[in-house]
Amino acid sequence: MARLQLGRSAVYDLLRTGQLASITLSRARRIPAHALTDFIRTRLDQEAAA
């Protein structure tokens, strides 16, 4: 995924574990922009707490 600079396998792992939200339209899986924002915010909060 270009915005996160992650490979396909890493993105699928995030989707499988529920760390990154997605929706399915027909046979295509889409990640809404707000899901990316939430994911990034969560990761930043986790790093700040560490």
Side-chain angles (χ1 to χ4, degrees), residues 37-50:
T37 304
D38 293 345
F39 173 75
I40 292 169
R41 184 175 295 121
T42 301
R43 294 295 295 250
L44 289 172
D45 290 346
Q46 289 172 350
E47 288 186 21

Side-chain angles (χ1 to χ4, degrees), residues 3-49:
R3 286 190 176 184
L4 297 177
Q5 296 182 349
L6 295 173
R8 183 187 306 192
S9 297
V11 172
Y12 281 124
D13 286 342
L14 292 172
L15 293 169
R16 184 176 41 78
T17 59
Q19 296 179 56
L20 185 58
S22 69
I23 59 171
T24 303
L25 300 171
S26 298
R27 293 176 53 192
R29 181 171 287 216
R30 301 290 183 234
I31 300 170
H34 71 83
L36 286 176
T37 304
D38 293 345
F39 173 75
I40 292 169
R41 184 175 295 121
T42 301
R43 294 295 295 250
L44 289 172
D45 290 346
Q46 289 172 350
E47 288 186 21

